[in-house]
Amino acid sequence: MHNITRKIAAGVGAAVAAIGCVIAAGPPAAASGKWCNNAVCIETYDNGTYLGRVEVSVINTNQPHRISARVWTTDGWSANTKTEDVAAFRTYRDQAYPQRHFPAGTRLCAEGFRGGESVGLPCVTITD
């Protein structure tokens, strides 16, 4: 009986580990699309490894705030967006223009700031 219980536990453990790897790694995404984390979204308009324009949006709360964002890739490109005073319940939007090809597997990230506090950090992997 102990042997059967051990085999079942090992099988369940392997299944949980496999599911955890899928959730942690997630499928790679093509460059074109929209990804969000908390109050920040990053949107790209190009396919493949070329990024011409990246849009960042930060959702504001019921208070006016000073909002900005930073966009970067893991291969060294980065840009700060403009800082803007945004009224209550408005969404801040700005663009960055990498206008270049990135190696497949490069991570593209954007961090939004509301009143100096980070409010989200979406990232996506650029694929072919």
Side-chain angles (χ1 to χ4, degrees):
M1 183 68 171
H2 174 69
N3 216 10
I4 293 172
T5 303
R6 191 176 58 181
K7 286 182 181 179
I8 291 172
V12 170
V16 168
I19 290 170
C21 288
V22 169
I23 291 170
S32 179
K34 185 175 184 175
W35 301 270
C36 299
N37 176 265
N38 295 325
V40 181
C41 293
I42 184 170
E43 188 167 359
T44 60
Y45 299 92
D46 302 291
N47 291 312
T49 59
Y50 180 81
L51 287 178
R53 176 172 65 117
V54 176
E55 182 176 286
V56 179
S57 59
V58 179
I59 299 167
N60 198 14
T61 61
N62 62 346
Q63 301 290 320
H65 283 103
R66 179 161 285 190
I67 297 179
S68 65
R70 182 166 104 58
V71 183
W72 72 92
T73 64
T74 54
D75 83 331
W77 176 86
S78 69
N80 290 317
T81 64
K82 70 180 180 276
T83 299
E84 189 174 301
D85 291 320
V86 178
F89 299 113
R90 303 292 292 198
T91 298
Y92 163 95
R93 283 185 181 21
D94 199 13
Q95 289 83 33
Y97 297 92
Q99 298 183 341
R100 60 185 265 200
H101 284 275
F102 293 94
T106 300
R107 300 279 290 161
L108 169 67
C109 300
E111 185 170 17
F113 300 93
R114 184 187 315 135
E117 299 289 321
S118 177
V119 292
L121 177 62
C123 291
V124 63
T125 301
I126 299 169
T127 62
D128 292 333

